[in-house]
Amino acid sequence: MHIGHLLGSGRTADVYALDDESWVLRRYRDGADATAELAVMSYLSASGFPVPRIGPPSGTALPTDLVMQRLTGPTMAEALLAGTLTEAEGGELLARLLRDLHAIPPRLSQDPEDRILHLELQPENVMLTPQGAVVIDWSTAGEGPPALDRAMSSLILAQAALDPSFAAGGRVRGMLATLLSRLAGDGGVPSCALARATARRAADPRLTARESAVLDEAAELVSALAG
């Protein structure tokens, strides 16, 4: 396949057009190997969870490259900003995606309580396509207790809600409140899971200065809203 123009860039990777418009190529800028991510996405796809389809090899033989289905539609974050997605709808959707993901048995772990964890399942990583919501960016995925995943999603939302530069912060706070309400029946966000998620976020070198500055306050907000 011929690699075309740059379509977009995230914190760690760039996405390029391919000559077959059904697919895109995502390439990590830091040389990270996408092999494990490919395995997780393939497993989840076979289990019926909404992830992008995996495409044919790009021909570059680079471990940083991953060919995936080209998706159309806004992210949840974009839809929230545009007013086409309400706070309640967003919170409900995130809760459902987490619940559906954690219903799938782990791929590698022998612990029956473990599940596959996205660890960044938040509005920027959910595409609202005409066929439904699709979860993207599995670079941080792992396996472990579902409560950690619920805590990570909640904490990331709380950081966005507290970011003064984010115009939709108030709406994100409403989404967070709905999410925590819906997660209560699944075990909620225990304090131990929240502490672990906070430590994990603090150690993330990709965090912006604003995100780092509000991290402790964000943890307090999750704790308060979770009751």
Side-chain angles (χ1 to χ4, degrees):
M1 287 187 182
H2 172 71
I3 299 175
H5 61 280
L6 180 68
L7 293 173
S9 295
R11 296 193 188 199
T12 60
D14 300 315
V15 178
Y16 295 89
L18 293 173
D19 50 5
D20 183 340
E21 295 185 358
S22 298
W23 309 103
V24 295
L25 180 139
R26 197 189 66 198
R27 174 174 291 167
Y28 285 111
R29 293 189 296 274
D30 62 359
D33 192 331
T35 304
E37 187 175 359
L38 171 62
V40 171
M41 292 176 63
S42 297
Y43 175 77
L44 290 172
S45 180
S47 301
F49 191 78
V51 298
R53 296 194 314 274
I54 302 299
S58 64
T60 65
L62 293 176
T64 57
D65 290 358
L66 185 58
V67 177
M68 301 181 297
Q69 173 190 9
R70 186 167 188 168
L71 301 172
T72 59
T75 64
M76 279 184 64
E78 291 168 339
L80 185 68
L81 281 169
T84 57
L85 180 76
T86 69
E87 303 157 20
E89 289 169 339
E92 293 271 5
L93 177 55
L94 284 178
R96 177 175 63 79
L97 289 170
L98 285 163
R99 187 176 304 117
D100 290 349
L101 176 60
H102 300 154
I104 300 171
R107 186 174 66 93
L108 301 173
S109 175
Q110 298 302 305
D111 188 332
E113 300 299 317
D114 282 351
R115 291 293 185 267
I116 293 178
L117 313 179
H118 186 284
L119 297 173
E120 281 194 20
L121 211 170
Q122 44 95 354
E124 290 184 344
N125 286 332
V126 181
M127 297 281 292
L128 303 179
T129 76
Q131 291 74 40
V134 178
V135 181
I136 63 173
D137 193 355
W138 292 86
S139 59
T140 58
E143 296 187 1
L148 176 59
D149 219 7
R150 298 194 297 267
M152 287 294 291
S153 292
S154 302
L155 187 60
I156 293 169
L157 278 185
Q159 286 178 286
L162 293 168
D163 184 346
S165 69
F166 187 49
R171 277 175 278 170
V172 173
R173 187 184 180 112
M175 183 185 293
L176 172 62
T178 298
L179 172 65
L180 288 167
S181 172
R182 299 301 179 268
L183 292 179
D186 301 322
V189 179
S191 58
C192 57
L194 181 57
R196 186 177 171 189
T198 304
R200 184 184 177 94
R201 288 290 283 173
D204 188 343
R206 301 171 302 161
L207 253 62
T208 66
R210 285 195 184 97
E211 287 171 329
S212 295
V214 300
L215 181 57
D216 290 340
E217 188 180 355
E220 292 173 1
L221 176 60
V222 172
S223 181
L225 291 177

